[in-house]
Coordinates of all heavy atoms in Angstrom, one line a residue:
G585 N 91.8 104.5 116.4 CA 90.7 103.6 116.0 C 91.2 102.2 116.0 O 92.3 101.9 116.1
D586 N 90.2 101.3 115.7 CA 90.4 99.8 115.7 C 90.7 99.4 114.3 O 89.8 99.4 113.5 CB 89.2 99.2 116.3 CG 89.3 97.7 116.4 OD1 90.0 97.0 115.5 OD2 88.6 97.1 117.3
V587 N 92.0 99.0 114.1 CA 92.4 98.7 112.7 C 91.7 97.5 112.2 O 91.3 97.4 111.0 CB 94.0 98.4 112.7 CG1 94.4 97.8 111.4 CG2 94.7 99.7 113.0
G588 N 91.5 96.5 113.0 CA 90.8 95.3 112.6 C 89.3 95.5 112.2 O 88.8 95.0 111.2
A589 N 88.6 96.3 113.0 CA 87.3 96.7 112.7 C 87.3 97.6 111.4 O 86.4 97.4 110.5 CB 86.6 97.5 113.8
G590 N 88.3 98.4 111.2 CA 88.4 99.2 110.1 C 88.6 98.4 108.8 O 88.1 98.8 107.7
E591 N 89.2 97.3 108.9 CA 89.4 96.5 107.7 C 88.1 96.0 107.2 O 87.8 95.9 106.0 CB 90.3 95.3 108.0 CG 90.6 94.4 106.8 CD 91.7 93.4 107.1 OE1 92.1 93.2 108.3 OE2 92.1 92.7 106.1
Q592 N 87.2 95.7 108.1 CA 85.8 95.2 107.7 C 85.0 96.3 107.1 O 84.4 96.1 106.1 CB 85.0 94.7 109.0 CG 85.7 93.6 109.7 CD 86.0 92.4 108.9 OE1 85.2 91.9 108.2 NE2 87.2 91.9 109.0
V593 N 85.1 97.5 107.6 CA 84.5 98.7 107.0 C 85.0 98.9 105.6 O 84.3 99.2 104.7 CB 84.7 100.0 107.9 CG1 84.1 101.2 107.2 CG2 84.1 99.8 109.3
F594 N 86.3 98.8 105.5 CA 87.0 99.0 104.2 C 86.5 98.0 103.1 O 86.1 98.4 102.0 CB 88.5 98.9 104.3 CG 89.2 99.3 103.1 CD1 89.6 100.6 102.9 CD2 89.5 98.4 102.1 CE1 90.3 101.0 101.7 CE2 90.2 98.8 100.9 CZ 90.6 100.1 100.7
S595 N 86.4 96.8 103.5 CA 85.9 95.7 102.6 C 84.5 96.0 102.1 O 84.2 95.8 100.9 CB 86.0 94.3 103.2 OG 87.3 94.0 103.6
A596 N 83.7 96.5 103.0 CA 82.3 96.7 102.7 C 82.0 98.0 101.9 O 81.0 98.1 101.2 CB 81.4 96.6 104.0
N597 N 82.8 99.0 102.1 CA 82.5 100.3 101.7 C 83.5 101.0 100.7 O 83.1 102.0 100.0 CB 82.3 101.3 102.8 CG 81.1 100.9 103.7 OD1 80.0 101.2 103.4 ND2 81.4 100.2 104.8
C598 N 84.7 100.5 100.7 CA 85.8 101.2 100.0 C 86.4 100.4 98.9 O 86.9 100.9 97.9 CB 86.9 101.6 101.0 SG 86.3 102.2 102.6
A599 N 86.4 99.0 99.1 CA 87.2 98.2 98.2 C 86.7 98.2 96.8 O 87.4 97.9 95.8 CB 87.2 96.7 98.7
A600 N 85.4 98.6 96.5 CA 84.9 98.6 95.2 C 85.8 99.6 94.3 O 86.0 99.3 93.1 CB 83.4 99.1 95.1
C601 N 86.2 100.7 94.9 CA 87.1 101.6 94.2 C 88.6 101.5 94.6 O 89.4 102.0 93.9 CB 86.6 103.0 94.5 SG 84.9 103.3 93.8
H602 N 88.8 101.0 95.8 CA 90.2 101.0 96.4 C 90.7 99.7 96.7 O 91.6 99.6 97.6 CB 90.2 101.9 97.6 CG 89.9 103.4 97.4 ND1 90.7 104.2 96.7 CD2 88.9 104.1 97.9 CE1 90.3 105.4 96.7 NE2 89.2 105.4 97.4
A603 N 90.4 98.6 96.0 CA 90.9 97.3 96.3 C 92.4 97.3 96.3 O 93.0 97.9 95.3 CB 90.4 96.3 95.3
G604 N 93.0 96.7 97.3 CA 94.5 96.7 97.3 C 95.1 98.0 97.5 O 96.3 98.2 97.2
G605 N 94.4 99.0 97.9 CA 94.9 100.4 98.1 C 95.0 101.2 96.8 O 95.6 102.3 96.8
Q606 N 94.5 100.6 95.7 CA 94.5 101.3 94.5 C 93.3 102.3 94.3 O 92.6 102.5 95.3 CB 94.6 100.3 93.3 CG 95.8 99.4 93.4 CD 97.1 100.1 93.3 OE1 97.4 100.9 92.4 NE2 97.9 100.0 94.4
N607 N 93.2 102.8 93.1 CA 92.0 103.7 92.9 C 91.6 103.5 91.4 O 92.4 103.8 90.5 CB 92.5 105.2 93.1 CG 91.3 106.2 93.0 OD1 90.4 106.0 92.3 ND2 91.4 107.2 93.8
V608 N 90.4 102.9 91.3 CA 90.0 102.5 89.9 C 89.5 103.8 89.1 O 89.4 103.7 87.9 CB 88.9 101.4 89.9 CG1 89.5 100.2 90.5 CG2 87.7 101.9 90.6
I609 N 89.2 104.8 89.8 CA 88.6 106.0 89.1 C 89.7 107.0 88.8 O 89.8 107.5 87.6 CB 87.5 106.7 89.9 CG1 86.4 105.7 90.1 CG2 87.1 108.0 89.2 CD1 85.2 106.3 91.0
M610 N 90.6 107.3 89.7 CA 91.7 108.2 89.5 C 93.0 107.5 89.9 O 93.4 107.5 91.0 CB 91.6 109.5 90.3 CG 90.4 110.3 89.9 SD 90.4 112.0 90.6 CE 91.8 112.7 89.7
P611 N 93.6 106.7 88.9 CA 94.7 105.8 89.2 C 95.8 106.3 90.0 O 96.5 105.6 90.8 CB 95.1 105.3 87.9 CG 93.9 105.5 87.0 CD 93.2 106.7 87.5
E612 N 96.2 107.6 89.9 CA 97.3 108.1 90.6 C 97.0 108.4 92.1 O 97.9 108.4 92.9 CB 97.9 109.4 89.9 CG 97.0 110.6 90.1 CD 95.8 110.7 89.1 OE1 95.5 109.7 88.5 OE2 95.3 111.8 89.0
K613 N 95.7 108.5 92.4 CA 95.3 108.8 93.8 C 95.1 107.6 94.6 O 94.0 107.3 95.0 CB 94.1 109.8 93.8 CG 94.5 111.2 93.2 CD 93.5 112.2 93.4 CE 94.0 113.6 93.0 NZ 93.0 114.6 93.2
T614 N 96.1 106.8 94.7 CA 96.1 105.6 95.5 C 96.0 105.9 97.0 O 96.1 107.0 97.4 CB 97.3 104.7 95.2 OG1 98.4 105.2 95.9 CG2 97.6 104.5 93.7
L615 N 96.0 104.8 97.8 CA 96.0 105.0 99.3 C 97.4 104.6 99.8 O 97.5 104.3 101.0 CB 94.9 104.1 99.9 CG 93.5 104.2 99.4 CD1 92.5 103.4 100.2 CD2 93.1 105.7 99.3
Q616 N 98.4 104.6 98.9 CA 99.7 104.3 99.4 C 100.4 105.6 99.9 O 100.0 106.7 99.7 CB 100.5 103.8 98.2 CG 100.0 102.4 97.8 CD 100.5 101.8 96.5 OE1 100.6 102.5 95.5 NE2 100.9 100.6 96.5
K617 N 101.5 105.4 100.7 CA 102.1 106.4 101.4 C 102.5 107.7 100.5 O 102.1 108.8 100.9 CB 103.4 105.8 102.0 CG 104.1 106.7 103.0 CD 105.5 106.1 103.4 CE 105.4 105.0 104.4 NZ 106.7 104.5 104.8
D618 N 103.1 107.4 99.4 CA 103.5 108.5 98.6 C 102.3 109.3 98.0 O 102.4 110.6 98.0 CB 104.3 108.0 97.4 CG 105.7 107.5 97.8 OD1 106.0 107.6 99.0 OD2 106.4 106.9 96.9
A619 N 101.3 108.6 97.6 CA 100.1 109.3 97.1 C 99.4 110.1 98.2 O 99.0 111.3 97.9 CB 99.2 108.3 96.4
L620 N 99.3 109.6 99.4 CA 98.7 110.3 100.5 C 99.5 111.6 100.8 O 98.9 112.6 101.1 CB 98.5 109.5 101.7 CG 97.5 108.3 101.5 CD1 97.4 107.5 102.9 CD2 96.2 108.6 101.0
D621 N 100.8 111.4 100.8 CA 101.7 112.6 101.0 C 101.4 113.7 100.0 O 101.4 114.9 100.3 CB 103.1 112.2 101.0 CG 103.6 111.5 102.3 OD1 102.9 111.7 103.3 OD2 104.6 110.8 102.2
Q622 N 101.2 113.3 98.7 CA 101.1 114.2 97.6 C 99.7 114.8 97.5 O 99.6 116.0 97.2 CB 101.5 113.5 96.3 CG 101.8 114.4 95.2 CD 102.4 113.7 94.0 OE1 102.8 112.5 94.1 NE2 102.4 114.4 92.8
Y623 N 98.7 114.0 97.6 CA 97.3 114.4 97.2 C 96.4 114.6 98.4 O 95.4 115.4 98.2 CB 96.7 113.4 96.3 CG 97.5 113.1 95.0 CD1 98.0 111.9 94.7 CD2 97.7 114.2 94.1 CE1 98.7 111.6 93.6 CE2 98.4 113.9 92.9 CZ 98.9 112.7 92.7 OH 99.6 112.4 91.5
L624 N 96.5 113.9 99.5 CA 95.5 114.0 100.5 C 95.5 115.4 101.2 O 96.5 115.8 101.7 CB 95.7 112.9 101.6 CG 94.6 112.8 102.7 CD1 93.2 112.6 102.1 CD2 95.0 111.8 103.7
A625 N 94.3 116.1 101.1 CA 94.2 117.4 101.7 C 94.5 117.3 103.2 O 93.9 116.5 103.9 CB 92.8 117.9 101.5
G626 N 95.4 118.1 103.7 CA 95.8 118.1 105.1 C 97.0 117.1 105.4 O 97.5 117.1 106.6
G627 N 97.4 116.4 104.4 CA 98.5 115.5 104.6 C 98.2 114.1 105.1 O 97.0 113.8 105.4
R628 N 99.2 113.2 105.2 CA 99.0 111.8 105.5 C 98.8 111.6 107.0 O 99.8 111.4 107.8 CB 100.2 111.0 105.0 CG 100.1 109.5 105.4 CD 101.1 108.7 104.6 NE 102.4 109.2 104.6 CZ 103.4 108.9 105.5 NH1 103.1 108.1 106.5 NH2 104.6 109.5 105.4
K629 N 97.6 111.9 107.5 CA 97.3 111.6 108.9 C 95.8 111.2 109.0 O 95.0 111.5 108.1 CB 97.6 112.8 109.8 CG 97.0 114.1 109.4 CD 97.5 115.2 110.4 CE 96.8 116.5 110.3 NZ 97.2 117.3 109.1
E630 N 95.4 110.6 110.2 CA 94.1 110.1 110.3 C 93.0 111.2 110.2 O 92.0 110.9 109.6 CB 93.9 109.4 111.7 CG 94.7 108.0 111.7 CD 94.3 107.2 112.9 OE1 93.2 107.4 113.5 OE2 95.0 106.2 113.2
A631 N 93.3 112.3 110.7 CA 92.3 113.4 110.7 C 92.0 113.8 109.2 O 90.8 114.1 108.9 CB 92.7 114.6 111.5
S632 N 92.9 113.7 108.4 CA 92.7 114.0 106.9 C 91.9 113.0 106.2 O 91.0 113.3 105.4 CB 94.1 114.1 106.2 OG 94.9 115.1 106.9
V633 N 92.1 111.7 106.6 CA 91.3 110.6 106.0 C 89.9 110.7 106.5 O 88.9 110.6 105.7 CB 91.9 109.2 106.3 CG1 91.1 108.1 105.7 CG2 93.4 109.1 105.7
I634 N 89.7 111.0 107.8 CA 88.4 111.1 108.4 C 87.7 112.3 107.6 O 86.5 112.1 107.3 CB 88.5 111.4 109.9 CG1 88.9 110.1 110.6 CG2 87.2 111.9 110.4 CD1 89.3 110.3 112.1
M635 N 88.3 113.4 107.4 CA 87.7 114.5 106.7 C 87.2 114.1 105.3 O 86.1 114.4 104.9 CB 88.7 115.7 106.6 CG 88.1 117.0 106.1 SD 87.1 117.7 107.3 CE 88.3 118.4 108.5
Q636 N 88.1 113.4 104.5 CA 87.8 113.1 103.2 C 86.7 112.0 103.1 O 85.7 112.1 102.3 CB 89.0 112.6 102.4 CG 88.6 112.2 101.0 CD 89.6 112.4 99.9 OE1 90.6 113.2 100.1 NE2 89.5 111.7 98.8
V637 N 86.7 111.1 104.0 CA 85.7 110.0 104.0 C 84.3 110.6 104.4 O 83.3 110.3 103.9 CB 86.1 108.9 104.9 CG1 84.9 107.9 105.1 CG2 87.3 108.1 104.4
T638 N 84.3 111.5 105.4 CA 83.1 112.1 105.9 C 82.5 113.0 104.8 O 81.3 112.9 104.6 CB 83.4 113.0 107.1 OG1 83.9 112.1 108.1 CG2 82.1 113.6 107.7
N639 N 83.3 113.8 104.1 CA 82.8 114.8 103.2 C 82.8 114.4 101.7 O 82.1 115.0 100.9 CB 83.5 116.1 103.4 CG 83.4 116.7 104.8 OD1 82.3 116.6 105.4 ND2 84.5 117.2 105.3
G640 N 83.6 113.4 101.4 CA 83.8 113.0 100.0 C 84.7 114.0 99.3 O 85.1 115.1 99.9
K641 N 85.0 113.7 98.0 CA 85.8 114.7 97.2 C 85.6 114.3 95.7 O 85.9 113.1 95.4 CB 87.3 114.6 97.6 CG 88.2 115.6 96.9 CD 89.6 115.5 97.3 CE 90.5 116.5 96.5 NZ 91.9 116.3 96.8
N642 N 85.2 115.2 94.9 CA 85.0 114.9 93.5 C 84.2 113.6 93.3 O 83.0 113.6 93.8 CB 86.3 114.9 92.8 CG 87.0 116.3 92.9 OD1 86.4 117.3 92.7 ND2 88.3 116.2 93.1
A643 N 84.7 112.6 92.6 CA 84.0 111.4 92.3 C 83.9 110.5 93.5 O 83.2 109.4 93.5 CB 84.6 110.7 91.2
M644 N 84.5 110.8 94.6 CA 84.4 109.9 95.8 C 83.2 110.4 96.7 O 83.1 111.6 97.1 CB 85.7 110.0 96.7 CG 85.5 109.2 98.0 SD 87.1 108.9 98.8 CE 86.5 108.7 100.5
P645 N 82.3 109.5 97.0 CA 81.1 109.9 97.7 C 81.4 110.2 99.2 O 82.4 109.7 99.7 CB 80.2 108.6 97.6 CG 81.1 107.5 97.4 CD 82.3 108.0 96.6
A646 N 80.5 111.0 99.8 CA 80.6 111.3 101.2 C 80.0 110.1 102.0 O 79.0 109.6 101.6 CB 79.9 112.6 101.5
F647 N 80.7 109.8 103.1 CA 80.2 108.7 103.9 C 79.6 109.2 105.3 O 79.1 108.4 106.0 CB 81.3 107.6 104.2 CG 81.6 106.8 103.0 CD1 82.5 107.2 102.0 CD2 80.9 105.6 102.8 CE1 82.7 106.5 100.9 CE2 81.2 104.8 101.6 CZ 82.1 105.3 100.7
G648 N 79.7 110.5 105.5 CA 79.1 111.0 106.7 C 77.6 110.8 106.6 O 77.0 111.1 105.6
G649 N 77.0 110.3 107.7 CA 75.6 110.0 107.7 C 75.3 108.5 107.2 O 74.3 108.0 107.5
R650 N 76.2 108.0 106.4 CA 76.1 106.6 106.0 C 76.8 105.6 106.9 O 76.5 104.5 107.1 CB 76.5 106.4 104.5 CG 75.7 107.2 103.5 CD 76.3 107.2 102.2 NE 76.5 105.8 101.6 CZ 77.3 105.5 100.6 NH1 77.9 106.5 99.9 NH2 77.4 104.3 100.2
L651 N 78.0 106.1 107.4 CA 78.8 105.4 108.3 C 78.8 106.1 109.6 O 78.8 107.4 109.6 CB 80.2 105.2 107.8 CG 80.4 104.3 106.6 CD1 81.9 104.3 106.2 CD2 80.0 102.8 106.9
S652 N 78.9 105.4 110.8 CA 79.0 106.1 112.1 C 80.4 106.8 112.2 O 81.4 106.4 111.5 CB 78.9 105.1 113.2 OG 80.0 104.2 113.2
D653 N 80.5 107.7 113.1 CA 81.8 108.4 113.3 C 82.9 107.3 113.7 O 84.0 107.4 113.4 CB 81.7 109.4 114.4 CG 80.9 110.7 114.0 OD1 80.6 110.8 112.8 OD2 80.6 111.5 114.9
E654 N 82.4 106.3 114.5 CA 83.3 105.3 114.9 C 83.8 104.4 113.8 O 85.0 104.1 113.6 CB 82.6 104.4 116.0 CG 83.5 103.3 116.5 CD 82.8 102.4 117.6 OE1 81.5 102.5 117.7 OE2 83.5 101.7 118.3
D655 N 82.9 104.1 112.8 CA 83.3 103.3 111.7 C 84.3 104.1 110.8 O 85.3 103.6 110.3 CB 82.1 103.0 110.8 CG 81.3 101.8 111.3 OD1 81.8 101.0 112.2 OD2 80.2 101.6 110.8
I656 N 84.1 105.4 110.7 CA 84.9 106.3 109.9 C 86.3 106.4 110.6 O 87.4 106.3 109.9 CB 84.3 107.7 109.7 CG1 83.1 107.5 108.7 CG2 85.3 108.6 109.1 CD1 82.3 108.8 108.6
A657 N 86.3 106.5 111.9 CA 87.6 106.6 112.6 C 88.4 105.3 112.4 O 89.6 105.2 112.2 CB 87.4 106.9 114.1
N658 N 87.6 104.2 112.5 CA 88.3 102.9 112.4 C 88.9 102.6 111.0 O 90.0 102.1 110.8 CB 87.3 101.7 112.7 CG 87.0 101.7 114.2 OD1 87.8 102.3 115.0 ND2 85.9 101.1 114.6
V659 N 88.1 103.0 109.9 CA 88.6 102.8 108.6 C 89.8 103.7 108.3 O 90.7 103.3 107.6 CB 87.5 102.9 107.5 CG1 87.1 104.4 107.2 CG2 87.8 102.1 106.3
A660 N 89.8 104.9 108.9 CA 91.0 105.8 108.7 C 92.2 105.2 109.4 O 93.3 105.2 108.8 CB 90.6 107.2 109.4
S661 N 92.0 104.6 110.5 CA 93.1 103.9 111.2 C 93.7 102.8 110.3 O 94.9 102.6 110.2 CB 92.7 103.3 112.6 OG 92.4 104.4 113.5
Y662 N 92.8 102.0 109.7 CA 93.2 100.9 108.8 C 94.0 101.4 107.6 O 95.0 100.9 107.3 CB 91.9 100.1 108.4 CG 92.3 99.1 107.4 CD1 93.0 97.9 107.7 CD2 91.8 99.2 106.0 CE1 93.3 97.0 106.7 CE2 92.1 98.3 105.1 CZ 92.9 97.2 105.4 OH 93.2 96.3 104.4
V663 N 93.4 102.5 107.0 CA 94.1 103.0 105.8 C 95.5 103.5 106.1 O 96.5 103.2 105.4 CB 93.2 104.1 105.2 CG1 94.0 105.0 104.1 CG2 92.0 103.6 104.5
L664 N 95.6 104.2 107.3 CA 97.0 104.7 107.6 C 97.9 103.6 108.1 O 99.1 103.7 107.7 CB 96.8 105.7 108.8 CG 96.8 107.2 108.4 CD1 98.1 107.7 107.8 CD2 95.7 107.5 107.4
D665 N 97.4 102.6 108.7 CA 98.2 101.5 109.1 C 98.7 100.8 107.9 O 99.9 100.4 107.8 CB 97.4 100.5 110.0 CG 98.2 99.3 110.5 OD1 99.1 99.5 111.3 OD2 98.0 98.2 110.0
Q666 N 97.9 100.6 106.9 CA 98.3 100.0 105.6 C 99.4 100.8 104.9 O 100.4 100.3 104.4 CB 97.1 99.8 104.7 CG 96.1 98.7 105.2 CD 96.7 97.3 105.0 OE1 96.9 96.6 106.0 NE2 96.9 96.9 103.8
A667 N 99.1 102.1 104.8 CA 100.0 103.0 104.1 C 101.3 103.2 104.8 O 102.4 103.0 104.2 CB 99.3 104.4 103.9
D668 N 101.3 103.5 106.1 CA 102.5 103.8 106.8 C 103.4 102.5 106.9 O 104.6 102.7 106.9 CB 102.2 104.2 108.3 CG 101.5 105.6 108.4 OD1 101.5 106.3 107.3 OD2 101.0 105.9 109.4
G669 N 102.8 101.3 106.9 CA 103.6 100.1 106.9 C 103.9 99.5 105.6 O 104.4 98.4 105.5
D670 N 103.6 100.3 104.5 CA 103.8 99.8 103.1 C 103.2 98.4 103.0 O 103.8 97.5 102.4 CB 105.3 99.7 102.8 CG 105.8 101.1 102.6 OD1 105.1 102.0 102.1 OD2 107.0 101.3 103.0
K671 N 101.9 98.2 103.5 CA 101.3 96.9 103.4 C 100.4 96.8 102.2 O 99.8 95.7 102.0 CB 100.4 96.8 104.7 CG 101.2 96.7 106.0 CD 100.3 96.6 107.2 CE 101.1 96.7 108.5 NZ 100.2 96.6 109.7
W672 N 100.3 97.9 101.4 CA 99.7 97.7 100.1 C 100.4 98.6 99.1 O 101.3 99.3 99.4 CB 98.2 98.0 100.0 CG 97.7 99.3 100.6 CD1 98.2 100.5 100.6 CD2 96.4 99.4 101.2 NE1 97.4 101.4 101.2 CE2 96.2 100.8 101.5 CE3 95.3 98.5 101.4 CZ2 95.1 101.3 102.1 CZ3 94.1 99.0 102.0 CH2 94.0 100.4 102.3
Ligands
HEM2079 C1 90.5 109.3 97.1 C2 89.7 106.7 101.1 C3 85.5 105.0 99.2 C4 86.7 107.0 95.0 C5 90.6 108.7 98.4 C6 91.6 109.0 99.3 C7 91.4 108.4 100.4 C8 90.2 107.6 100.2 C9 92.2 108.4 101.7 C10 92.8 110.0 99.0 C11 93.8 109.3 98.2 C12 94.8 110.2 97.5 O1 94.5 111.4 97.4 O2 95.8 109.7 97.0 C13 88.5 106.0 101.0 C14 87.8 105.2 102.0 C15 86.6 104.8 101.5 C16 86.6 105.3 100.1 C17 88.4 105.0 103.4 C18 85.5 104.1 102.1 C19 85.0 104.5 103.3 C20 85.6 105.3 97.9 C21 84.6 104.9 96.9 C22 84.9 105.4 95.7 C23 86.1 106.3 95.9 C24 83.5 103.9 97.2 C25 84.3 105.3 94.3 C26 82.9 105.3 94.2 C27 87.8 107.9 95.2 C28 88.3 108.9 94.3 C29 89.3 109.5 94.9 C30 89.5 108.9 96.2 C31 87.7 109.1 92.9 C32 90.1 110.7 94.4 C33 89.4 112.0 94.8 C34 90.0 113.2 94.2 O3 91.1 113.7 94.7 O4 89.5 113.7 93.2 N1 89.8 107.8 98.9 N2 87.7 106.0 99.8 N3 86.5 106.2 97.3 N4 88.5 108.0 96.4 FE1 88.1 107.0 98.1

């Protein structure tokens, strides 16, 4: 996916709960490398982020139907780029 386009999707749809890669609802479940390794279903990879964003999980809403598949793929690329590079 397109990391730059994904950053825009993130700002508009995710930052309310995940500003700076944090998590205001479940503080340990950040978007940082270690947390994705520990908590993300399927492990720290784009397909896993796409799955969680599409379907939601517990208090995180589902974005399937609200965002296009392309937007979801792009935001997953952005999240992984940030996490893998320790950019947040
Ligand atoms: C967890 C991404 C929007 C609330 C996560 C995780 C990812 C993620 C990758 C797993 C983190 C981990 O387990 O350490 C995104 C993206 C979003 C988005 C890309 C936008 C498209 C939101 C919004 C909210 C939210 C708007 C709040 C209303 C949560 C919560 C969890 C979570 C509560 C923990 C879920 C659980 O395991 O119980 N998010 N998120 N997220 N997110 Fe989001």
Side-chain angles (χ1 to χ4, degrees):
D586 180 329
V587 171
E591 183 172 12
Q592 303 303 312
V593 176
F594 189 89
S595 297
N597 297 279
C598 320
C601 296
H602 293 296
Q606 299 301 304
N607 188 327
V608 299
I609 298 180
M610 295 193 70
E612 73 279 15
K613 293 191 172 180
T614 74
L615 307 187
Q616 292 170 316
K617 191 187 280 182
D618 291 355
L620 296 183
D621 284 336
Q622 193 172 347
Y623 301 118
L624 181 61
R628 176 166 49 90
K629 57 180 191 285
E630 286 193 18
S632 306
V633 178
I634 288 171
M635 188 73 77
Q636 177 149 339
V637 170
T638 301
N639 298 324
K641 184 180 177 187
N642 299 317
M644 176 167 153
F647 288 86
R650 296 170 56 192
L651 292 176
S652 68
D653 290 351
E654 184 179 13
D655 282 345
I656 292 172
N658 290 342
V659 80
S661 294
Y662 172 69
V663 167
L664 264 294
D665 183 69
Q666 289 288 113
D668 292 348
D670 291 321
K671 297 179 185 178
W672 56 29

